[in-house]
Amino acid sequence: MVHSLLVSRTALVATDLDGTLIRSDGTVSDRTRDALRRVEDAGATVVFVTGRPTRVMADIVRQTAATGLAICANGALVYDLDTCVSVRETILESAAAVKLASAIREMIPGVAFAVESGLRFGREPAFSTMWPDPEEMVASFRELLECLPTAKLLVRRGGASMVDVYGTIVELAGTDAAVTMSSADLIEIAGPGVSKAVALARLAQDLGIRPAQVVAFGDMPNDLPLFAWAGHAVAVSNAHPDVLAAAHEVTASNDEDGVALVLERLFP
């Protein structure tokens, strides 16, 4: 069902990438690229708001010709797409990471950890990553923390689903860290208070843009804070059930140019 018209003209479009803007084959369609250009030609701002680390943003920049700032690592990093530099970051303190990782290992056998640190990545030997990095650091957990400031701590259990242990990890983290999921086999942990919504709210405030002027697109639970903050929240049809329930509007899937369909309506 389509939500009522936005209170104000849309000034900012915030969109998730994987599963939302990007097709299942990893590409961005011509139609979607044209729709993003239409937004910018109308004088509005496009901000990618993603769980992706900054080290894998270059391909998306090439495909979309995007400029300006992007929110990465679920809000832990604000990244300048033009200069390839992080302009704002929130780090999970090493002591909190060690304490939480120890508690997780005790409660959930077979887990392995990795660390996203801006343009750098490190992992324990047992952790398998979806974005292999020829310059990755492979070491013990404590060695990783000594060498890499932790923008995001990743937890996997082989290739098994982590859905059944998500609540346990949230409880273990308490107020010391922010826990979320963007895929069933991966749990992502950031510093306390970190979310896509918090980072976008600060960026919007810097631009003089109110929540009512923001339309947000997403597909997974890490988008829920963003949906709660934005004036108009749009889920792609392939989204997680909780995201579909939280949306003001449901559009077509990521493989059917769902984001573009809405942008063409908002920016005729």
Side-chain angles (χ1 to χ4, degrees):
M1 182 176 65
V2 178
H3 189 242
S4 59
L5 291 177
L6 296 178
V7 174
S8 304
R9 178 179 173 83
T10 301
L12 191 154
V13 171
T15 180
D16 175 55
L17 294 176
D18 298 287
T20 301
L21 187 81
I22 302 173
R23 290 177 165 182
S24 299
D25 64 1
T27 63
V28 176
S29 72
D30 291 341
R31 182 177 184 179
T32 294
R33 188 163 43 250
D34 290 343
L36 295 174
R37 188 177 300 115
R38 182 182 298 195
V39 174
E40 294 180 335
D41 288 347
T45 300
V46 175
V47 178
F48 296 149
V49 186
T50 178
R52 281 190 176 217
T54 56
R55 64 189 175 91
V56 294
M57 290 297 291
D59 177 60
I60 299 306
V61 172
R62 282 193 297 270
Q63 290 198 61
T64 61
T67 60
L69 300 178
I71 293 169
C72 299
N74 290 323
L77 300 170
V78 178
Y79 184 64
D80 190 317
L81 298 173
D82 303 306
T83 63
C84 300
V85 172
S86 293
V87 298
R88 192 179 298 156
E89 60 183 30
T90 304
I91 300 301
L92 176 64
E93 295 297 332
S94 293
V98 169
K99 178 183 176 182
L100 182 54
S102 297
I104 292 172
R105 287 194 206 275
E106 185 175 342
M107 294 290 293
I108 307 168
V111 295
F113 294 90
V115 172
E116 291 287 2
S117 183
L119 297 175
R120 299 189 64 194
F121 172 73
R123 64 178 177 86
E124 293 183 314
F127 186 97
S128 60
T129 176
M130 66 180 291
W131 288 303
D133 186 337
E135 299 182 4
E136 69 184 12
M137 179 180 179
V138 181
S140 70
F141 185 66
R142 287 186 179 272
E143 288 176 302
L144 294 176
L145 294 183
E146 288 173 1
C147 298
L148 303 174
T150 305
K152 186 166 66 168
L153 181 64
L154 308 178
V155 192
R156 273 207 167 108
R157 186 172 49 178
S161 173
M162 299 290 286
V163 173
D164 62 313
V165 297
Y166 174 73
T168 298
I169 294 178
V170 170
E171 185 175 345
L172 291 172
T175 59
D176 293 336
V179 182
T180 191
M181 297 185 75
S182 58
S183 61
D185 65 343
L186 178 70
I187 287 179
E188 301 161 80
I189 303 171
V194 169
S195 74
K196 291 184 176 185
V198 169
L200 186 65
R202 183 172 176 181
L203 192 155
Q205 184 177 31
D206 291 344
L207 295 172
I209 295 173
R210 294 175 287 110
Q213 297 172 287
V214 178
V215 58
F217 297 86
D219 73 313
M220 288 297 287
N222 61 335
D223 295 313
L224 289 172
L226 184 63
F227 274 30
W229 177 82
H232 191 68
V234 184
V236 285
S237 63
N238 53 288
H240 185 282
D242 291 349
V243 177
L244 292 171
H248 297 124
E249 176 180 353
V250 177
T251 186
S253 73
N254 63 318
D255 288 328
E256 299 170 312
D257 297 321
V259 173
L261 284 169
V262 175
L263 293 182
E264 288 164 0
R265 187 187 80 234
L266 294 177
F267 297 88

